[in-house]
Amino acid sequence: MAKGKDKRTMVTLECTDCVQNRLKKKNKKSPGIYRYVTQKNPKNTKSLLELRKFCPFCHKHTIHGEIKN
């Protein structure tokens, strides 16, 4: 049986390639930055979360890193 609910927090993952491209070009016409929203248990995962997800702006799988809300 479960002993109780874990304190899971909502985290936002942002494409690292889109951010780097936007900073390099400094172009306002870039399509944007894609973000995912997921949950993590801070008791088990104390470091920042990084997952490999699909970015529709880059048209490939890239590393999405956790950002501060």
Side-chain angles (χ1 to χ4, degrees):
M1 293 181 110
K3 293 191 176 188
K5 288 268 187 182
D6 288 332
K7 302 272 183 173
R8 298 187 74 82
T9 57
M10 298 296 288
V11 295
T12 305
L13 302 176
E14 185 176 78
C15 179
T16 55
D17 284 353
C18 290
V19 173
Q20 290 172 358
N21 288 341
R22 180 175 259 185
L23 292 176
K24 284 180 186 175
K25 293 179 184 177
K26 295 183 182 177
N27 188 0
K28 299 295 181 190
K29 293 184 180 178
S30 67
I33 299 172
Y34 198 73
R35 293 181 174 173
Y36 282 98
V37 177
T38 187
Q39 296 178 353
K40 83 169 189 178
N41 187 345
K43 187 176 179 182
N44 296 337
T45 311
K46 295 186 182 348
S47 62
L48 293 178
L49 191 63
E50 285 188 343
L51 296 175
R52 194 162 180 262
K53 304 283 250 175
F54 182 78
C55 178
F57 295 123
C58 299
H59 301 290
K60 59 183 177 181
H61 283 84
T62 58
I63 294 181
H64 286 66
E66 181 180 343
I67 59 171
K68 301 286 182 182
N69 291 344

